[in-house]
Amino acid sequence: MMKTPNRTAATASAMVLALGATGAAQADVVNVFNWSDYITEEVLEQFTEETGIRVVYDVYDSNDTLEARLLAGATGFDVVVPTADFMQRQIAAGVYQPLNRDLLPNMEHMDPGLMAQAASFDPGNEHGTIYMWGTTGIGYNIDAIAERFGEDFEVDTWSLVFDPEMIAQVADCGVAFLDSATDMLPAAMNYLGLDPQSTDPADFEAAAELLESVRPHVRYFHNSQYISDLANGEICVAIGWSGDVFQAADRAEEADRGVNVWYSIPDEGAMQWFDMMAIPVDAPNTENAHAFINFIMRPDITAAITNYVWYANANASSWEMVDEEILTDPAIFPPQEVLDNLFTAVTYDGRTDRLITRLWTRVRTGQ
Ligand code: SPD
């Protein structure tokens, strides 16, 4: 799975330095706030070469961070990338402007089925288009797992991380969980046989108790550190996002130090999510924002991003340009029988959100 050699260039600070000073309302600038490890720098450079518009690029690794910035207002961002369930309530809060379809001719390349799924969070896809999509599953060090459970052991069950006896067997080589309540609590509910889309407080309580029972075996909660730690062999198991785990696998292979990483969508099912490109209502450079989004939706550009970040995209015209190895990997572009086993996130109301925040603090800190 060898890819381009400068994988670490996808981190943000490097791009901000390379591409210009922090954001401002200027005709030749677009201020983009995206997830970390989610683009190749070449795409940003190509955009500037072709349009003359400088990209000021910054990153975050949690929806909560993005949401706090958006709700505070006047972010100075022209393009942001919320996950669809978060975007739904941000739309309700008046955070986004409707997209101008006349400025987005490349919208025609988007897959109608996937866009319809995203439209369940944003009717008519009025405020956003899919950037990338993925799943929340298990990343693991192949050899560490084989040493502990035998060569024939398949990582195909959430029991590896949610059964106290099983996770205890990998605690010594390092386990990381996402610091994302909206990924972790539904995953735990699903494992318990509860509806992962439930908003019943009793179901959240059960999920929190399950997570607390395995908490002593978790080294840390974080949304991006696990990529390098899996790649370096610092940890051996992570609940993580599909493309990020594959990036870890790719980095491990490039380093050639005998670390082998892989990703599993467990048989019990997993969350499928959609990250959306959207334009804040007070974006300083609305036209440039549309130009950027339209550029990203160009099939060759979307394919270049997928080929770099190992996330599935929703751009049907790009698929013929996606590396065979990625397009045919059932953990990246899952076949229908796996898709049928996935569940999507729900948009929580304020009360549920407060409950989740409280429970998540309890899980993370034990208080
Ligand atoms: N490095 C890119 C990570 C993208 C994560 N998307 C958020 C999914 C939330 N369920």
Side-chain angles (χ1 to χ4, degrees):
M1 62 181 309
M2 193 63 81
K3 309 297 291 183
T4 45
N6 58 338
R7 168 73 59 202
T8 52
T11 54
S13 40
M15 289 183 196
V16 174
L17 285 176
L19 297 165
T22 40
Q26 294 167 4
D28 62 346
V29 170
V30 64
N31 301 289
V32 179
F33 199 34
N34 194 0
W35 293 82
S36 51
D37 302 290
Y38 221 14
I39 204 155
T40 158
E41 195 169 334
E42 282 75 17
V43 158
L44 301 179
E45 287 167 355
Q46 193 176 340
F47 176 73
T48 302
E49 273 164 30
E50 291 186 18
T51 63
I53 300 169
R54 201 160 45 96
V55 184
V56 177
Y57 195 87
D58 202 356
V59 297
Y60 50 91
D61 73 357
S62 101
N63 273 304
D64 299 319
T65 303
L66 171 62
E67 184 160 276
R69 296 285 293 269
L70 290 169
L71 296 181
T75 59
F77 297 130
D78 297 305
V79 178
V80 295
V81 188
T83 306
D85 45 312
F86 278 77
M87 180 171 146
Q88 183 170 29
R89 69 177 183 215
Q90 291 157 3
I91 292 169
V95 162
Y96 299 115
Q97 55 182 278
L99 297 177
N100 180 344
R101 297 278 178 140
D102 293 340
L103 301 177
L104 301 173
N106 287 332
M107 196 69 113
E108 69 176 14
H109 298 297
M110 302 305 285
D111 178 72
L114 289 162
M115 288 297 277
Q117 280 188 270
S120 67
F121 299 93
D122 173 27
N125 303 118
E126 211 187 321
H127 300 85
T129 179
I130 299 172
Y131 176 69
M132 294 283 143
W133 67 270
T135 53
T136 303
I138 302 175
Y140 60 98
N141 179 311
I142 296 170
D143 309 296
I145 294 295
E147 271 165 32
R148 285 159 182 79
F149 298 102
E151 292 289 337
D152 294 335
F153 182 83
E154 301 244 0
V155 178
D156 56 9
T157 169
W158 285 106
S159 298
L160 178 65
V161 284
F162 290 153
D163 176 334
E165 285 183 15
M166 288 191 77
I167 191 174
Q169 293 182 64
V170 284
D172 67 304
C173 56
V175 179
F177 278 8
L178 288 170
D179 185 9
S180 171
T182 51
D183 284 276
M184 296 296 298
L185 291 166
M189 285 198 262
N190 183 58
Y191 176 71
L192 290 170
L194 302 168
D195 176 2
Q197 297 185 314
S198 169
T199 54
D200 184 339
D203 293 344
F204 281 114
E205 179 62 36
E209 283 176 17
L210 173 72
L211 293 171
E212 285 172 307
S213 75
V214 294
R215 168 75 182 88
H217 307 296
V218 177
R219 192 172 290 176
Y220 63 78
F221 293 82
H222 201 275
N223 288 343
S224 51
Q225 191 185 330
Y226 66 91
I227 304 175
S228 52
D229 284 351
L230 272 176
N232 297 336
E234 289 291 321
I235 59 170
C236 61
V237 175
I239 296 182
W241 293 314
S242 43
D244 287 3
V245 173
F246 282 107
Q247 287 179 54
D250 193 35
R251 287 187 204 175
E253 189 176 307
E254 280 169 19
D256 198 19
R257 280 195 229 108
V259 177
N260 299 295
V261 174
W262 208 243
Y263 175 77
S264 164
I265 299 175
D267 290 348
E268 297 94 342
M271 178 182 283
Q272 177 186 25
W273 44 259
F274 301 92
D275 286 337
M276 311 297 296
M277 289 186 284
I279 306 177
V281 72
D282 56 0
N285 308 292
T286 299
E287 264 189 46
N288 293 352
H290 282 90
F292 184 81
I293 292 173
N294 195 51
F295 178 79
I296 296 292
M297 285 193 297
R298 220 170 76 186
D300 60 317
I301 299 301
T302 310
I305 297 172
T306 285
N307 287 338
Y308 195 82
V309 300
W310 298 79
Y311 276 101
N313 69 61
N315 188 315
S317 310
S318 82
W319 293 338
E320 63 182 29
M321 289 173 266
V322 170
D323 293 344
E324 186 74 9
E325 174 183 21
I326 293 177
L327 195 65
T328 58
D329 192 313
I332 303 176
F333 282 93
Q336 196 57 47
E337 69 267 21
V338 178
L339 288 174
D340 289 345
N341 212 17
L342 301 178
F343 56 87
T344 48
V346 278
T347 304
Y348 299 121
D349 60 20
R351 188 192 216 178
T352 309
D353 194 45
R354 284 189 290 282
L355 171 68
I356 289 174
T357 303
R358 216 170 40 246
L359 289 174
W360 190 241
T361 304
R362 204 178 85 193
V363 169
R364 289 182 77 245
T365 66
Q367 287 159 9

